[in-house]
């Protein structure tokens, strides 16, 4: 059985990067993003990347690091509102953007991993999202054709994984990581907790190891995208 465990993110990426490649990057906002692999991808110096991701990180963190170094040529995303550098590059014509409704993006990744070439959806019909795409009428309603997505490499982050690459995600990290893990020609997973093969409850596994080529144990900062707090009431102050 091949050894899937690598010492660090840099070695896990070795031999898998090339200029002009496409990368699926899991996570939702800053939750469940492959922090270590993104940094290693930046440090690799690879150029002209097409990134498929829910968003583009924030300024100074996540995929925002790759925007700062101008290694990303194109983003295929559903939410890009937290990154000023993203907006600057897009408005200056330095960055291409293929914008997707969020559910459509998730389904495009799932379809790619399942070997489905395309699917019809009502979402986006009659908007800019549908421009230039085939439409079809089913039961009197118009649907737009969306294609499945497959990337050269998918990088995902899991809470717990074993040495065979079986993965368990926690909470919001399940939004994009599981389907992206299946839709990369190669998949690298970074995990918080790495255990021996056989230690995970099979009923709890979200991504089977057959989809994962390499595994690395990471160290995580888990930054908060937007910290919002409510003001304490007078009663709370009095009781403090």
């Amino acid at each position: 059985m091949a050894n899937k465990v690598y010492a660090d993110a840099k070695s896990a990426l070795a031999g898998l990067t090339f200029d002009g490649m496409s990368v699926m990057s899991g996570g939702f906002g800053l939750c469940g993003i492959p922090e270590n692999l993104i940094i290693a991808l930046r440090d690799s110096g690879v150029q002209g990347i097409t990134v498929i991701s829910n968003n583009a990180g924030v300024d100074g963190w996540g995929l925002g690091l790759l925007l700062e170094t101008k290694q990303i040529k194109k983003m295929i995303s559903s939410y890009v509102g937290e990154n000023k550098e993203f907006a600057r590059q897009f408005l200056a014509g330095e960055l291409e953007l293929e914008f997707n409704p969020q559910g459509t993006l998730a389904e495009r990744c799932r379809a790619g991993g399942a070997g489905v070439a395309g699917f019809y959806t009502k979402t986006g019909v009659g908007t800019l999202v549908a421009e230039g795409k085939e439409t079809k009428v089913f039961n009197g309603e118009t649907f737009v054709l969306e294609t499945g997505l497959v990337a050269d490499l998918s990088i995902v982050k899991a809470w717990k994984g074993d040495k065979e690459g079986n993965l368990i995600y926690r909470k919001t990290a399940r939004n994009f990581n599981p389907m992206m893990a299946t839709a990369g020609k190669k998949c690298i997973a970074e995990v918080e907790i790495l255990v021996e093969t056989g230690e995970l409850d099979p009923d709890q596994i979200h991504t089977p190891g057959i989809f994962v080529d390499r595994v690395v144990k990471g160290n995580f900062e888990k930054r908060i995208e937007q910290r919002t707090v409510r003001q304490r009431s007078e009663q709370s102050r009095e009781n403090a």
Side-chain angles (χ1 to χ4, degrees):
M1 188 177 295
N3 178 28
K4 295 185 178 182
V5 180
Y6 284 70
D8 51 41
K10 179 181 178 180
S11 61
L13 278 175
L16 298 182
T17 60
F18 55 91
D19 290 349
M21 70 184 299
S22 56
V23 177
M24 281 188 181
S25 182
F28 188 75
L30 294 184
C31 177
I33 65 171
E35 300 173 18
N36 301 275
L37 287 166
I38 290 171
I39 292 171
L41 199 59
R42 178 200 63 186
D43 294 344
S44 74
V46 64
Q47 299 292 322
I49 309 170
T50 293
V51 176
I52 303 163
S53 179
N54 159 249
N55 75 351
V58 296
D59 295 286
W61 194 241
L63 292 171
L65 297 173
L66 296 177
L67 287 172
E68 288 180 355
T69 53
K70 297 189 176 180
Q71 290 171 264
I72 299 177
K73 177 186 72 173
K74 178 179 180 179
M75 288 293 306
I76 301 177
S77 301
S78 57
Y79 176 68
V80 294
E82 301 296 338
N83 195 308
K84 293 180 181 178
E85 179 60 16
F86 184 107
R88 189 200 67 75
Q89 289 187 23
F90 175 69
L91 293 173
E94 300 171 5
L95 179 69
E96 298 176 45
L97 171 62
E98 184 177 333
F99 204 55
N100 291 249
Q102 192 145 268
T104 300
L105 179 63
E107 180 62 11
R108 292 184 73 189
C109 295
R110 191 208 66 80
V116 176
F119 59 93
Y120 287 94
T121 175
K122 290 175 64 177
T123 306
V125 172
T127 72
L128 291 174
V129 170
E131 284 192 1
K133 297 176 182 177
E134 178 186 328
T135 59
K136 195 167 185 176
V137 176
F138 295 90
N139 298 320
E141 295 186 275
T142 302
F143 291 73
V144 61
L145 177 65
E146 296 284 358
T147 57
L149 290 170
V150 175
D152 295 308
L153 175 67
S154 59
I155 53 175
V156 301
K157 188 261 180 177
W159 169 57
K160 187 181 288 189
D162 66 19
K163 294 184 176 181
E164 185 57 26
N166 297 299
L167 306 176
I168 298 174
Y169 310 97
R170 292 192 73 242
K171 303 184 184 296
T172 310
R174 289 179 64 184
N175 279 18
F176 281 93
N177 279 300
M179 59 280 286
M180 287 187 172
T182 69
K185 295 176 183 177
K186 294 289 184 180
C187 175
I188 308 174
E190 59 180 66
V191 301
E192 293 184 42
I193 303 169
L194 182 63
V195 301
E196 295 294 329
T197 300
E199 288 190 29
L200 299 180
D201 180 351
D203 284 339
Q204 301 301 313
I205 292 171
H206 300 126
T207 295
I210 193 172
F211 292 108
V212 179
D213 298 282
R214 300 180 180 184
V215 181
V216 62
K217 186 179 184 302
N219 297 306
F220 301 94
E221 291 190 31
K222 297 187 178 181
R223 297 190 188 184
I224 296 174
E225 192 168 356
Q226 282 194 19
R227 187 183 297 274
T228 304
V229 296
R230 68 182 182 186
Q231 292 187 347
R232 299 173 67 185
S233 66
E234 290 298 327
Q235 185 67 40
S236 297
R237 293 191 184 96
E238 293 172 1
N239 294 336

